[in-house]
PDB file of all heavy atoms in Angstrom:
ATOM      1  N   PRO A   1      -9.293  -4.424 -10.232  1.00  0.00           N
ATOM      2  CA  PRO A   1      -9.659  -5.208  -9.090  1.00  0.00           C
ATOM      3  C   PRO A   1      -8.861  -4.933  -7.745  1.00  0.00           C
ATOM      4  O   PRO A   1      -9.474  -4.948  -6.718  1.00  0.00           O
ATOM      5  CB  PRO A   1      -9.531  -6.668  -9.504  1.00  0.00           C
ATOM      6  CG  PRO A   1      -9.497  -6.675 -11.016  1.00  0.00           C
ATOM      7  CD  PRO A   1      -8.907  -5.282 -11.394  1.00  0.00           C
ATOM      8  N   LEU A   2      -7.573  -4.714  -7.968  1.00  0.00           N
ATOM      9  CA  LEU A   2      -6.732  -4.441  -6.818  1.00  0.00           C
ATOM     10  C   LEU A   2      -5.816  -3.290  -7.206  1.00  0.00           C
ATOM     11  O   LEU A   2      -5.184  -3.327  -8.289  1.00  0.00           O
ATOM     12  CB  LEU A   2      -5.884  -5.609  -6.419  1.00  0.00           C
ATOM     13  CG  LEU A   2      -6.604  -6.872  -5.908  1.00  0.00           C
ATOM     14  CD1 LEU A   2      -5.648  -7.972  -5.795  1.00  0.00           C
ATOM     15  CD2 LEU A   2      -7.217  -6.578  -4.549  1.00  0.00           C
ATOM     16  N   ALA A   3      -5.784  -2.281  -6.424  1.00  0.00           N
ATOM     17  CA  ALA A   3      -4.920  -1.054  -6.667  1.00  0.00           C
ATOM     18  C   ALA A   3      -4.085  -0.772  -5.399  1.00  0.00           C
ATOM     19  O   ALA A   3      -4.615  -0.333  -4.366  1.00  0.00           O
ATOM     20  CB  ALA A   3      -5.721   0.074  -7.109  1.00  0.00           C
ATOM     21  N   GLU A   4      -2.751  -0.917  -5.525  1.00  0.00           N
ATOM     22  CA  GLU A   4      -1.872  -0.695  -4.318  1.00  0.00           C
ATOM     23  C   GLU A   4      -1.461   0.758  -4.392  1.00  0.00           C
ATOM     24  O   GLU A   4      -1.323   1.440  -5.404  1.00  0.00           O
ATOM     25  CB  GLU A   4      -0.621  -1.534  -4.412  1.00  0.00           C
ATOM     26  CG  GLU A   4      -0.858  -3.046  -4.438  1.00  0.00           C
ATOM     27  CD  GLU A   4      -0.838  -3.627  -5.889  1.00  0.00           C
ATOM     28  OE1 GLU A   4      -1.182  -2.929  -6.780  1.00  0.00           O
ATOM     29  OE2 GLU A   4      -0.481  -4.935  -5.947  1.00  0.00           O
ATOM     30  N   SER A   5      -1.303   1.258  -3.159  1.00  0.00           N
ATOM     31  CA  SER A   5      -0.687   2.667  -3.082  1.00  0.00           C
ATOM     32  C   SER A   5       0.080   2.786  -1.779  1.00  0.00           C
ATOM     33  O   SER A   5       0.006   1.852  -0.936  1.00  0.00           O
ATOM     34  CB  SER A   5      -1.835   3.727  -3.066  1.00  0.00           C
ATOM     35  OG  SER A   5      -2.719   3.453  -1.986  1.00  0.00           O
ATOM     36  N   GLY A   6       0.825   3.847  -1.711  1.00  0.00           N
ATOM     37  CA  GLY A   6       1.599   4.071  -0.402  1.00  0.00           C
ATOM     38  C   GLY A   6       3.027   3.848  -0.466  1.00  0.00           C
ATOM     39  O   GLY A   6       3.770   4.183   0.496  1.00  0.00           O
ATOM     40  N   GLY A   7       3.582   3.280  -1.567  1.00  0.00           N
ATOM     41  CA  GLY A   7       4.988   3.021  -1.623  1.00  0.00           C
ATOM     42  C   GLY A   7       5.712   4.291  -1.836  1.00  0.00           C
ATOM     43  O   GLY A   7       5.209   5.366  -1.976  1.00  0.00           O
ATOM     44  N   GLY A   8       7.006   4.152  -1.632  1.00  0.00           N
ATOM     45  CA  GLY A   8       7.960   5.237  -1.772  1.00  0.00           C
ATOM     46  C   GLY A   8       9.286   4.969  -1.201  1.00  0.00           C
ATOM     47  O   GLY A   8       9.594   3.830  -0.886  1.00  0.00           O
ATOM     48  N   LEU A   9       9.992   6.148  -1.041  1.00  0.00           N
ATOM     49  CA  LEU A   9      11.371   6.020  -0.433  1.00  0.00           C
ATOM     50  C   LEU A   9      11.303   6.365   0.998  1.00  0.00           C
ATOM     51  O   LEU A   9      10.812   7.376   1.431  1.00  0.00           O
ATOM     52  CB  LEU A   9      12.298   6.990  -1.246  1.00  0.00           C
ATOM     53  CG  LEU A   9      13.794   7.117  -0.670  1.00  0.00           C
ATOM     54  CD1 LEU A   9      14.508   5.815  -0.830  1.00  0.00           C
ATOM     55  CD2 LEU A   9      14.455   8.256  -1.497  1.00  0.00           C
ATOM     56  N   VAL A  10      12.037   5.517   1.730  1.00  0.00           N
ATOM     57  CA  VAL A  10      12.053   5.811   3.224  1.00  0.00           C
ATOM     58  C   VAL A  10      13.402   5.310   3.715  1.00  0.00           C
ATOM     59  O   VAL A  10      14.084   4.479   3.184  1.00  0.00           O
ATOM     60  CB  VAL A  10      10.892   4.895   3.941  1.00  0.00           C
ATOM     61  CG1 VAL A  10      11.111   3.478   3.743  1.00  0.00           C
ATOM     62  CG2 VAL A  10      10.738   5.341   5.369  1.00  0.00           C
ATOM     63  N   GLN A  11      13.880   6.008   4.826  1.00  0.00           N
ATOM     64  CA  GLN A  11      15.182   5.653   5.407  1.00  0.00           C
ATOM     65  C   GLN A  11      15.102   4.378   6.259  1.00  0.00           C
ATOM     66  O   GLN A  11      13.995   4.027   6.778  1.00  0.00           O
ATOM     67  CB  GLN A  11      15.571   6.816   6.251  1.00  0.00           C
ATOM     68  CG  GLN A  11      15.959   8.116   5.487  1.00  0.00           C
ATOM     69  CD  GLN A  11      16.574   9.132   6.376  1.00  0.00           C
ATOM     70  OE1 GLN A  11      16.349   9.202   7.560  1.00  0.00           O
ATOM     71  NE2 GLN A  11      17.304  10.134   5.768  1.00  0.00           N
ATOM     72  N   PRO A  12      16.172   3.695   6.454  1.00  0.00           N
ATOM     73  CA  PRO A  12      16.145   2.582   7.298  1.00  0.00           C
ATOM     74  C   PRO A  12      15.592   2.946   8.751  1.00  0.00           C
ATOM     75  O   PRO A  12      15.994   3.980   9.278  1.00  0.00           O
ATOM     76  CB  PRO A  12      17.622   2.075   7.449  1.00  0.00           C
ATOM     77  CG  PRO A  12      18.222   2.510   6.132  1.00  0.00           C
ATOM     78  CD  PRO A  12      17.448   3.802   5.808  1.00  0.00           C
ATOM     79  N   GLY A  13      14.806   2.101   9.282  1.00  0.00           N
ATOM     80  CA  GLY A  13      14.185   2.365  10.559  1.00  0.00           C
ATOM     81  C   GLY A  13      12.816   3.129  10.444  1.00  0.00           C
ATOM     82  O   GLY A  13      12.151   3.246  11.416  1.00  0.00           O
ATOM     83  N   GLY A  14      12.524   3.577   9.272  1.00  0.00           N
ATOM     84  CA  GLY A  14      11.337   4.282   9.054  1.00  0.00           C
ATOM     85  C   GLY A  14      10.099   3.377   8.776  1.00  0.00           C
ATOM     86  O   GLY A  14      10.182   2.168   8.902  1.00  0.00           O
ATOM     87  N   SER A  15       8.982   4.006   8.483  1.00  0.00           N
ATOM     88  CA  SER A  15       7.773   3.395   8.279  1.00  0.00           C
ATOM     89  C   SER A  15       7.023   3.767   7.071  1.00  0.00           C
ATOM     90  O   SER A  15       7.115   4.870   6.650  1.00  0.00           O
ATOM     91  CB  SER A  15       6.809   3.642   9.503  1.00  0.00           C
ATOM     92  OG  SER A  15       7.395   3.100  10.738  1.00  0.00           O
ATOM     93  N   LEU A  16       6.139   2.860   6.565  1.00  0.00           N
ATOM     94  CA  LEU A  16       5.349   3.104   5.451  1.00  0.00           C
ATOM     95  C   LEU A  16       4.078   2.304   5.645  1.00  0.00           C
ATOM     96  O   LEU A  16       4.133   1.317   6.302  1.00  0.00           O
ATOM     97  CB  LEU A  16       5.951   2.637   4.124  1.00  0.00           C
ATOM     98  CG  LEU A  16       6.984   3.602   3.483  1.00  0.00           C
ATOM     99  CD1 LEU A  16       7.482   2.946   2.221  1.00  0.00           C
ATOM    100  CD2 LEU A  16       6.397   5.056   3.067  1.00  0.00           C
ATOM    101  N   ARG A  17       3.046   2.837   5.164  1.00  0.00           N
ATOM    102  CA  ARG A  17       1.675   2.157   5.135  1.00  0.00           C
ATOM    103  C   ARG A  17       1.231   1.935   3.782  1.00  0.00           C
ATOM    104  O   ARG A  17       1.007   2.983   3.098  1.00  0.00           O
ATOM    105  CB  ARG A  17       0.684   2.819   6.038  1.00  0.00           C
ATOM    106  CG  ARG A  17      -0.557   2.081   6.267  1.00  0.00           C
ATOM    107  CD  ARG A  17      -1.524   2.776   7.188  1.00  0.00           C
ATOM    108  NE  ARG A  17      -2.776   1.930   7.471  1.00  0.00           N
ATOM    109  CZ  ARG A  17      -2.854   1.007   8.404  1.00  0.00           C
ATOM    110  NH1 ARG A  17      -1.895   0.781   9.254  1.00  0.00           N
ATOM    111  NH2 ARG A  17      -4.032   0.389   8.556  1.00  0.00           N
ATOM    112  N   LEU A  18       1.070   0.728   3.320  1.00  0.00           N
ATOM    113  CA  LEU A  18       0.620   0.488   1.995  1.00  0.00           C
ATOM    114  C   LEU A  18      -0.847   0.051   2.108  1.00  0.00           C
ATOM    115  O   LEU A  18      -1.299  -0.410   3.065  1.00  0.00           O
ATOM    116  CB  LEU A  18       1.331  -0.751   1.435  1.00  0.00           C
ATOM    117  CG  LEU A  18       2.825  -0.750   1.360  1.00  0.00           C
ATOM    118  CD1 LEU A  18       3.392  -2.016   0.670  1.00  0.00           C
ATOM    119  CD2 LEU A  18       3.351   0.550   0.681  1.00  0.00           C
ATOM    120  N   SER A  19      -1.579   0.457   1.067  1.00  0.00           N
ATOM    121  CA  SER A  19      -2.979   0.186   1.025  1.00  0.00           C
ATOM    122  C   SER A  19      -3.374  -0.486  -0.339  1.00  0.00           C
ATOM    123  O   SER A  19      -2.826  -0.126  -1.338  1.00  0.00           O
ATOM    124  CB  SER A  19      -3.818   1.485   1.108  1.00  0.00           C
ATOM    125  OG  SER A  19      -5.199   1.138   1.226  1.00  0.00           O
ATOM    126  N   CYS A  20      -4.243  -1.502  -0.193  1.00  0.00           N
ATOM    127  CA  CYS A  20      -4.784  -2.268  -1.362  1.00  0.00           C
ATOM    128  C   CYS A  20      -6.271  -2.035  -1.418  1.00  0.00           C
ATOM    129  O   CYS A  20      -6.920  -2.532  -0.664  1.00  0.00           O
ATOM    130  CB  CYS A  20      -4.394  -3.679  -1.227  1.00  0.00           C
ATOM    131  SG  CYS A  20      -5.020  -4.718  -2.567  1.00  0.00           S
ATOM    132  N   ALA A  21      -6.589  -1.228  -2.456  1.00  0.00           N
ATOM    133  CA  ALA A  21      -8.061  -0.958  -2.586  1.00  0.00           C
ATOM    134  C   ALA A  21      -8.642  -1.961  -3.483  1.00  0.00           C
ATOM    135  O   ALA A  21      -8.197  -2.244  -4.724  1.00  0.00           O
ATOM    136  CB  ALA A  21      -8.294   0.517  -3.234  1.00  0.00           C
ATOM    137  N   ALA A  22      -9.744  -2.638  -3.111  1.00  0.00           N
ATOM    138  CA  ALA A  22     -10.372  -3.723  -3.803  1.00  0.00           C
ATOM    139  C   ALA A  22     -11.598  -3.227  -4.537  1.00  0.00           C
ATOM    140  O   ALA A  22     -12.425  -2.516  -3.799  1.00  0.00           O
ATOM    141  CB  ALA A  22     -10.654  -4.946  -2.966  1.00  0.00           C
ATOM    142  N   SER A  23     -11.829  -3.652  -5.721  1.00  0.00           N
ATOM    143  CA  SER A  23     -13.106  -3.283  -6.452  1.00  0.00           C
ATOM    144  C   SER A  23     -13.553  -4.654  -6.978  1.00  0.00           C
ATOM    145  O   SER A  23     -12.859  -5.466  -7.470  1.00  0.00           O
ATOM    146  CB  SER A  23     -12.724  -2.329  -7.604  1.00  0.00           C
ATOM    147  OG  SER A  23     -12.339  -1.083  -7.115  1.00  0.00           O
ATOM    148  N   GLY A  24     -14.890  -4.863  -6.866  1.00  0.00           N
ATOM    149  CA  GLY A  24     -15.559  -5.994  -7.461  1.00  0.00           C
ATOM    150  C   GLY A  24     -15.628  -7.175  -6.598  1.00  0.00           C
ATOM    151  O   GLY A  24     -16.193  -8.170  -6.862  1.00  0.00           O
ATOM    152  N   PHE A  25     -15.086  -7.061  -5.298  1.00  0.00           N
ATOM    153  CA  PHE A  25     -15.194  -8.111  -4.391  1.00  0.00           C
ATOM    154  C   PHE A  25     -15.028  -7.497  -2.947  1.00  0.00           C
ATOM    155  O   PHE A  25     -14.544  -6.392  -2.764  1.00  0.00           O
ATOM    156  CB  PHE A  25     -14.117  -9.229  -4.564  1.00  0.00           C
ATOM    157  CG  PHE A  25     -12.755  -8.878  -4.222  1.00  0.00           C
ATOM    158  CD1 PHE A  25     -12.212  -9.180  -3.015  1.00  0.00           C
ATOM    159  CD2 PHE A  25     -11.896  -8.307  -5.185  1.00  0.00           C
ATOM    160  CE1 PHE A  25     -10.843  -8.872  -2.639  1.00  0.00           C
ATOM    161  CE2 PHE A  25     -10.585  -7.957  -4.890  1.00  0.00           C
ATOM    162  CZ  PHE A  25     -10.084  -8.213  -3.582  1.00  0.00           C
ATOM    163  N   VAL A  26     -15.381  -8.214  -1.931  1.00  0.00           N
ATOM    164  CA  VAL A  26     -15.498  -7.778  -0.605  1.00  0.00           C
ATOM    165  C   VAL A  26     -14.395  -8.382   0.142  1.00  0.00           C
ATOM    166  O   VAL A  26     -14.244  -9.602   0.313  1.00  0.00           O
ATOM    167  CB  VAL A  26     -16.782  -8.108   0.019  1.00  0.00           C
ATOM    168  CG1 VAL A  26     -16.818  -7.646   1.501  1.00  0.00           C
ATOM    169  CG2 VAL A  26     -17.967  -7.381  -0.747  1.00  0.00           C
TER     170      VAL A  26
END
């Protein structure tokens, strides 16, 4: 139903973008 992605190792001050892909609902 929900699948997270985009995590990882980043330095302080950096950026990441996480995504949650939904299945079975809008």
Side-chain angles (χ1 to χ4, degrees):
L2 296 173
E4 302 97 333
S5 63
L9 175 64
V10 65
Q11 293 184 339
S15 297
L16 284 173
R17 187 174 182 89
L18 307 182
S19 184
C20 176
S23 298
F25 72 94
V26 177

